[in-house]
Amino acid sequence: MSKHLDEINNDYIRYSNCWEDADLLLSLLDIKKDDKVLSIGSAGDNSFSLLSKAPKKVVAVDVNPAQLHLIKLKKAAFQTLDHEEFISLLGFKPCDNRLQLFEKISNQLDSEALSFWRLHSIKIEEGIIHSGKFEKYFKNFRKYILPIIHNKHRVIELLNQKDDVNQQNFFNNIWNSWRWRTLFKLFFSRKTMGAIGRDPKFLDQVEGSVSDYILNTAKIHLSNSSCQTNGFLHYILNGSFGVHLPHYARKENFEKIKNNIGKFEIFQGYADDAVKEFGQFSKFNLSNIFEYMSSEQFGQQVNYFENESKPNSRFVYWNLMVNRNFSLVSDLFKTASPFQNTSIDKGFFYSNLLLSQRS
């Protein structure tokens, strides 16, 4: 198989949070205790969430060693800390002793991860959930662009509790100004995003206007009352998840994940490399990896999964701006798209969430 991301720079943290909705992921995967789950690592968040269902094993796979060091740190934090210490170390709440908390977990890290974090201790002090390139992209939006469009009071008003009708009226009549549309499209353009947000190669397969697409998805989410409890939107607009923590960081899920952390494996490579290493899986969290593949590469990947997965295996994946669907490649898969262009999916950018099941 073509290693389509081999030319991407992998010496820094791209994402310090996972930007896919773990609650929907878990509902679609329907994990059982005998399931072995392959999960795209990214920042590790959703891979850890899978442990809350007590599967047989979860393997978090990523080609980027910096992302794997991040996952190792979060794993060590689960192993060693209580919930209050955990969310403090990661940056979900203010904390003035993060380096001391890091020392508390440091003996759980391998030598490479320990060296990485010793070298990047400033990221720990600042809170590692704020350390990714993508998160800093949003920080620039909050710092330099958003204040030109709306003041802090208006941001608070947007996210304050109100019903659907009043939320839509507020968005249409107050929020959705010409300045919002113009500056938003400028900042979230292909050129700007490729320069300071995501690697330009991640947009190679995208056709049409990136900024028009993202502006439309923003409208879908911000004009619906569900935005008021969407932690991703709170983070983008305020720099904090507030009380709307991602699934893996919520207190009610912490002990479940902690109790199953021994079932968690970390692997550097591609998804098919992990299958070769660990054998067949029955459940797959594939994030939006198919966005970056050509149609030919995607077809090869689907054919590989067709041959190297167990009967009735479930594959959950997101489409952003490129349409990818297992069923269009192989009749062996049946695909449902239960959350297309909807604000139910807390993922801010995604157009579609798909579940493909192998017969």
Side-chain angles (χ1 to χ4, degrees), residues 5 12 67 74 152 161 176-177 181 193 203 229 278 295 305 330 340:
L5 297 183
Y12 63 90
Q67 295 294 151
K74 291 181 179 180
K152 290 184 178 180
Q161 185 175 356
N176 192 27
S177 65
R181 294 189 298 270
M193 185 176 290
L203 301 173
T229 56
F278 293 95
S295 295
F305 284 138
S330 170
Q340 185 170 13

Side-chain angles (χ1 to χ4, degrees), residues 34-285:
D34 60 347
D35 280 324
K36 189 165 65 171
V37 190
L38 185 144
S39 180
I40 298 302
S42 184
D45 309 354
N46 290 359
S47 301
F48 289 117
S49 288
L50 299 170
L51 291 175
S52 67
K53 299 299 182 180
K56 183 178 181 180
K57 183 184 289 292
V58 173
V59 177
V61 56
D62 207 290
V63 298
N64 185 340
Q67 295 294 151
L68 297 180
H69 294 324
L70 175 63
I71 296 172
K72 290 173 184 178
L73 188 148
K74 291 181 179 180
K75 179 182 179 181
F78 269 115
Q79 291 172 307
T80 309
L81 305 178
D82 62 31
H83 181 257
E84 189 71 12
E85 293 172 322
F86 180 85
I87 61 174
S88 298
L89 170 64
L90 268 57
F92 289 108
K93 59 179 296 184
C95 178
D96 58 5
N97 69 328
R98 290 196 180 106
L99 289 181
Q100 289 93 322
L101 290 173
F102 172 74
E103 290 303 324
K104 190 173 179 179
I105 71 169
S106 61
N107 63 348
Q108 297 286 355
L109 297 173
D110 61 38
S111 58
E112 289 186 2
L114 185 59
S115 296
F116 177 89
W117 288 112
R118 294 265 192 244
L119 187 63
H120 296 93
S121 60
I122 186 64
K123 296 183 185 297
I124 296 172
E125 288 185 281
E126 293 174 348
I128 62 169
I129 66 167
H130 310 296
S131 65
K133 181 180 179 181
F134 201 51
E135 286 73 20
K136 291 176 180 177
Y137 180 57
F138 288 135
K139 181 178 180 180
N140 286 329
F141 175 72
R142 285 193 304 274
K143 184 175 181 180
Y144 299 111
I145 305 299
L146 188 56
I148 302 175
I149 307 171
H150 295 300
N151 58 33
K152 290 184 178 180
H153 174 76
R154 192 163 288 173
V155 173
I156 292 171
E157 194 175 355
L158 173 74
L159 298 175
N160 275 347
Q161 185 175 356
K162 58 184 88 66
D163 60 28
D164 281 332
V165 172
N166 285 318
Q167 183 72 35
Q168 189 169 46
N169 287 337
F170 180 86
F171 178 82
N172 290 336
N173 299 324
I174 298 176
W175 189 269
N176 192 27
S177 65
W178 68 267
R179 189 173 291 178
W180 162 257
R181 294 189 298 270
T182 302
L183 294 179
F184 187 96
K185 288 178 66 174
L186 176 65
F187 191 80
F188 289 97
S189 67
R190 182 190 297 262
K191 183 177 181 180
T192 305
M193 185 176 290
I196 63 174
R198 309 178 82 206
D199 193 290
K201 286 190 70 65
F202 287 177
L203 301 173
D204 280 355
Q205 304 301 318
V206 176
E207 298 178 358
S209 171
V210 172
S211 58
D212 283 344
Y213 166 79
I214 297 176
L215 181 66
N216 184 60
T217 61
K219 178 180 179 180
I220 292 171
H221 285 263
L222 296 178
S223 61
N224 189 285
S225 62
S226 62
C227 76
Q228 299 155 21
T229 56
N230 187 328
F232 294 146
L233 288 171
H234 276 264
Y235 186 91
I236 291 166
L237 296 173
N238 292 317
S240 169
F241 288 94
V243 298
H244 308 292
L245 299 179
H247 180 277
Y248 83 107
R250 298 174 200 159
K251 189 172 184 178
E252 63 267 26
N253 300 321
F254 181 79
E255 290 299 326
K256 297 176 187 177
I257 297 171
K258 187 182 185 75
N259 290 338
N260 288 294
I261 201 71
K263 302 175 181 179
F264 192 81
E265 300 277 356
I266 299 170
F267 180 79
Q268 184 176 355
Y270 289 87
D272 46 319
D273 297 322
V275 173
K276 294 173 184 175
E277 177 73 16
F278 293 95
Q280 290 185 332
F281 293 81
S282 52
K283 302 292 172 66
F284 296 77
N285 161 37

Side-chain angles (χ1 to χ4, degrees), residues 14-28:
R14 297 184 182 281
Y15 309 101
S16 49
N17 301 276
C18 285
W19 291 89
E20 296 98 28
D21 190 333
D23 294 287
L24 295 184
L25 171 67
L26 291 172
S27 70
L28 293 180

